């Protein structure tokens, strides 16, 4: 189940990456995050956290949450995350995340949280009915990062504001107590940073929680499912253009081409040179074959791993032990700094 490789001698820092077990992993999670994390594990000491505490800020069916937590672990390992060389673990298995988050609830200012755009997006119009957890989500995310004194965090566009908040919290904690407990974590960008959009609507991001399964390619989809979804993907009546400028106002075409470029490790310009003038029907055939060739082996490995849940749980327990060994001394340092009496 693990490759057993050893980390290189000189690592550039410590990275914390998180992913929510809120449903099926999809191509957006793979191209936008997991694939880049696989590359980062060669350069950094990495902690990969399946953030179940974050997941319950909105309603989760308990059985489905358990299944999804194991499936995310299987997906990450199948995609190339090496749990022997890094820590792959579940957030609720490391109590220091929630404990440090409480301290940060007392550090972060209401005004800072009020500016978080993701809360506004996720709470929508029914703000009064959103959970208090959703509101303080960024404080927990700051704790996820700082409980390991992570130096770097791979973030997409949508998470930049949360990383800024984590830096503000670290700085305010250090200033308030006159200490240098926390480093200020830096964003790290690896790979093309592909943002994958919905297959049904090119203006919305591909998302686990989109009610339409046809909006996304799941990492668990087989070849038939992939072919069906690509065939049904929204397009427009025009042939494919020969330049990036020709994609202006064609969000769905741009999305499919971006996906094809990311899957084949090429630039949009290189891909356009290949497909310019083609009709969508021909291009969709190529895209399907490519998606199947990339996702197929991952999918098969995920199925194999999911057939032995006890083995996944063992890997996650080892990951939690590694994570706890780093987090507990940091939490003790914080508790001492704020003046909590040591436990007898
Ligand atoms: N469509 C996407 N394109 C590129 N990257 C994406 N990520 C998610 N969707 C896309 C990246 O995947 C990582 C893990 O994301 P997450 O599960 O923590 O939360 P999310 O961004 O909220 O993902 P979803 O699928 O949209 O989940 P739900 O529907 O539950 O909110 C992150 O690095 C994210 O940027």
């Amino acid at each position: 189940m693990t490759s057993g490789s050893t980390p290189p001698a000189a690592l550039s820092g410590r990275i914390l990456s998180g992913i929510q077990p809120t449903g099926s992993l999809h191509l957006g999670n793979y191209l936008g995050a997991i694939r880049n994390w696989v590359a980062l594990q060669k350069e950094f000491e990495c902690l990969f956290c399946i953030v179940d505490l974050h997941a319950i800020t909105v309603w989760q069916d308990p059985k489905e949450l358990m299944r999804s937590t194991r499936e995310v672990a299987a997906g990450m390992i199948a995609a190339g995350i090496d749990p022997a060389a890094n820590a792959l673990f579940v957030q609720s298995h490391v109590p220091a995340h929630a404990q440090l988050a409480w301290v940060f609830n007392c550090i972060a200012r209401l005004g800072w949280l009020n500016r978080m755009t993701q809360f506004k997006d996720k709470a929508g119009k029914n703000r009064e009915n959103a959970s208090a957890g959703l509101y303080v989500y960024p404080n927990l995310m700051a704790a996820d990062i700082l409980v390991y004194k992570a130096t770097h965090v791979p973030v997409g566009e949508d998470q930049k504001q949360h990383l800024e908040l984590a830096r503000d919290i670290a700085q305010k904690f250090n200033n308030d107590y006159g200490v240098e407990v926390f480093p200020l974590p830096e964003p790290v960008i690896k790979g093309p940073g592909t943002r994958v959009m919905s297959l049904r609507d090119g203006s919305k991001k591909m998302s686990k929680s989109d009610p339409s399964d046809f909006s996304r390619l799941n990492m668990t989809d087989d070849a038939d499912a992939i072919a069906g979804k690509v065939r049904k993907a929204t397009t427009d009546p025009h042939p494919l253009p020969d330049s990036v400028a020709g994609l202006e106002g064609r969000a769905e075409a741009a999305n499919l081409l971006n996906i094809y470029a990311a899957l084949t490790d090429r630039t949009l310009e290189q891909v356009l040179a290949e497909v310019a003038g083609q009709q969508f029907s021909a291009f969709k055939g190529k895209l399907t074959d490519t998606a199947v060739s990339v996702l197929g082996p991952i999918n098969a490995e995920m199925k194999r791993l999911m057939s032995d849940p006890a083995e996944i749980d063992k890997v996650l327990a080892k990951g939690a032990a590694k994570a706890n060994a780093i987090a507990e001394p940091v939490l003790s340092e914080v508790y001492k700094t704020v003046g909590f009496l040591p436990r007898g």
Side-chain angles (χ1 to χ4, degrees), residues 19-20 22 26 28-29 32-33 122 194 196 205-209:
I19 190 155
Q20 296 194 71
T22 43
H26 52 73
N29 297 132
K122 288 211 167 181
T194 313
V196 182
K205 79 164 191 164
M206 187 176 283
S207 170
K208 299 189 213 88
S209 53

Side-chain angles (χ1 to χ4, degrees), residues 31 194-197 199 233-236 238-248 250-280 283-284 286-287 290:
L31 293 176
T194 313
R195 187 164 165 83
V196 182
M197 309 309 281
L199 298 180
T234 308
T235 53
D236 58 47
H238 310 292
L240 293 167
D242 59 8
S243 70
V244 176
L247 286 168
E248 189 66 37
R250 300 180 67 186
E252 282 79 18
N255 184 37
L256 295 182
L257 286 160
N258 271 323
I259 292 175
Y260 187 53
L263 285 171
T264 55
D265 276 322
R266 287 180 296 171
T267 62
L268 198 50
E269 287 81 359
Q270 286 168 331
V271 158
L272 284 169
E274 178 199 334
V275 301
Q278 288 184 11
Q279 299 298 327
F280 276 102
F283 169 64
K284 280 182 165 183
K286 275 187 199 169
L287 180 59
T290 309

Side-chain angles (χ1 to χ4, degrees), residues 150-187:
T151 56
H152 295 80
V153 185
V155 279
E157 230 11 81
D158 48 344
Q159 292 295 336
K160 276 197 180 145
Q161 202 186 23
H162 287 164
L163 181 61
E164 272 307 312
L165 188 92
R167 290 170 58 93
D168 290 345
I169 289 175
Q171 199 149 35
K172 181 161 165 49
F173 182 93
N174 288 345
N175 286 347
D176 285 358
Y177 292 101
V179 290
E180 281 303 323
V181 169
F182 295 117
L184 300 190
E186 299 285 341

Side-chain angles (χ1 to χ4, degrees), residues 134-155:
L134 191 65
Y135 189 67
V136 292
Y137 183 117
N139 295 345
L140 178 58
M141 187 172 148
D144 299 338
I145 299 164
L146 295 170
V147 81
Y148 302 105
K149 299 192 179 184
T151 56
H152 295 80
V153 185
V155 279

